[in-house]
Amino acid sequence: MGLSNCPDIFSLFFLVLVFYLITLVGNIVIITITVVDPALHSPMYFFLRNLSFLEIGYTSSTIPKMLVNFISEDTSISFLGCAMQMYFFSFLGITECCLLATMAYDRYVAICHPLRYTAMMSRGVCLQFSAVCWLIGMLVGVGQTTFIFTLPYCGPNRINHFFCDLPPLLKLACVDTYRNEVAVYTIAVAFIMVPFLLILVSYIRILHAILSIPSAEGRSKAFSTCSSHLIVVTLFFGSGIVMYLRPKSRYSLNTDKLLSVFYSVVSPMLNPLIYSLRNKDVKEALRRVMARKIFI
């Protein structure tokens, strides 16, 4: 059913399209400069490159179909298409939760244990962290999709949403979904709250270490390396916690749609802007790449 209560659907179409293009271009730029510029071949930018790949897939799992539905009379989606959409959205969303926690740990090691940073965050360790994040997301995505799409759906199968998300799909099932709702809540606690708490602990330790730095310049540099990640974490986990961990009595489809637009369209668009505009190393690398292209 999409955003059927929106008064100006064509304006919303162009707005979402612009946001999606900014997300694609911004993340492609980040991937490119972190690959071609040797100064960005560090663990921090290795994980940032992973995050950019994630964001491209994460947004592409829902937004293209959403844009088509804005301008098409046929807004249907096949049963298999709906399952695939939910799988990739869950898989990439859970992977991002784990990856953001890993990025917080990377900043913790860099600031609190600088002399051991190279050994603790070697290339092999970074690859292992990244592989574990992707594997967890893949397995959780398979599990969530399986227990949602093995439920009986008696119709009418009208999804009051703009993509196949967990809460509106559970409402369509013609059996008691209490166990499924408990499972969804448990997964949300395990893969949203636990990574968020790990990030919180990391930043408490980081803050303590930064405040013990004697020079103002040193404190400022340490803060600047963490600020972009902290903003992204706040946007992503804040909307996710409100969406999936609020009490059922306060559940509202309109609120659900608004939150979904934020964490599936707006937040991914802001991420590459935050990491490029607020990160001195990325801006300098982008200038070097542009200067090289112009010179050539």
Side-chain angles (χ1 to χ4, degrees):
M1 293 173 65
L3 301 172
S4 52
N5 57 348
C6 179
D8 192 350
I9 205 73
F10 286 104
S11 296
L12 186 61
F13 168 83
F14 285 110
L15 185 63
V16 172
L17 178 61
V18 169
F19 280 13
Y20 181 53
L21 292 176
I22 291 172
T23 302
L24 292 181
V25 173
N27 283 300
I28 289 170
V29 167
I30 287 175
I31 291 168
T32 303
I33 62 174
T34 56
V35 169
V36 302
D37 195 298
L40 300 185
H41 290 178
S42 65
M44 175 180 173
Y45 295 105
F46 169 77
F47 292 125
L48 179 57
R49 186 160 60 248
N50 271 261
L51 182 64
S52 291
F53 275 115
L54 267 175
E55 294 286 17
I56 290 172
Y58 181 72
T59 53
S60 298
S61 67
T62 58
I63 296 180
K65 178 62 177 171
M66 178 184 182
L67 291 171
V68 170
N69 288 349
F70 279 150
I71 57 175
S72 173
E73 291 184 4
D74 180 14
T75 60
S76 63
I77 185 169
S78 68
F79 188 82
L80 178 60
C82 190
M84 292 299 292
Q85 187 182 64
M86 194 187 112
Y87 166 70
F88 281 107
F89 189 79
S90 300
F91 158 38
L92 296 170
I94 295 295
T95 304
E96 184 163 346
C97 290
C98 298
L99 188 62
L100 288 172
T102 304
M103 293 171 76
Y105 175 73
D106 171 69
R107 292 299 83 209
Y108 160 74
V109 175
I111 293 171
C112 299
H113 303 284
L115 299 179
R116 299 167 57 195
Y117 180 67
T118 304
M120 292 178 70
M121 297 302 294
S122 65
R123 180 171 179 78
V125 171
C126 291
L127 287 171
Q128 289 174 17
F129 271 128
S130 176
V132 168
C133 290
W134 286 89
L135 182 61
I136 289 172
M138 190 182 302
L139 293 176
V140 174
V142 168
Q144 281 194 322
T145 306
T146 301
F147 76 68
I148 290 295
F149 281 88
T150 50
L151 291 171
Y153 294 95
C154 309
N157 294 332
R158 295 173 61 85
I159 305 170
N160 193 1
H161 212 291
F162 59 88
F163 73 98
C164 296
D165 200 9
L166 291 163
L169 281 170
L170 283 173
K171 283 185 171 293
L172 296 180
C174 51
V175 292
D176 181 22
T177 59
Y178 175 75
R179 290 183 179 179
N180 301 82
E181 290 169 7
V182 170
V184 170
Y185 193 84
T186 303
I187 290 170
V189 169
F191 296 103
I192 296 178
M193 279 306 298
V194 172
F196 179 71
L197 291 174
L198 291 173
I199 292 168
L200 192 61
V201 170
S202 296
Y203 273 103
I204 289 171
R205 299 291 297 274
I206 288 169
L207 182 61
H208 181 266
I210 289 174
L211 293 176
S212 64
I213 297 174
S215 69
E217 183 181 351
R219 288 195 298 271
S220 176
K221 185 177 180 181
F223 271 122
S224 68
T225 62
C226 300
S227 59
S228 299
H229 181 253
L230 198 53
I231 293 170
V232 170
V233 164
T234 304
L235 291 173
F236 184 78
F237 281 97
S239 56
I241 288 169
V242 174
M243 174 69 197
Y244 293 106
L245 292 174
R246 70 184 188 272
K248 189 177 179 181
S249 58
R250 300 183 64 182
Y251 181 83
S252 162
L253 278 173
N254 289 330
T255 304
D256 181 14
K257 288 182 185 180
L258 185 62
L259 285 168
S260 299
V261 168
F262 183 80
Y263 70 71
S264 65
V265 179
V266 180
S267 180
M269 182 271 298
L270 293 174
N271 289 354
L273 297 178
I274 291 167
Y275 277 112
S276 58
L277 296 178
R278 293 187 57 86
N279 190 301
K280 184 180 177 182
D281 292 338
V282 172
K283 287 191 287 186
E284 289 179 354
L286 184 58
R287 289 193 195 100
R288 287 194 294 269
V289 171
M290 294 300 293
R292 201 179 306 156
K293 294 292 182 182
I294 292 170
F295 179 75
I296 291 170

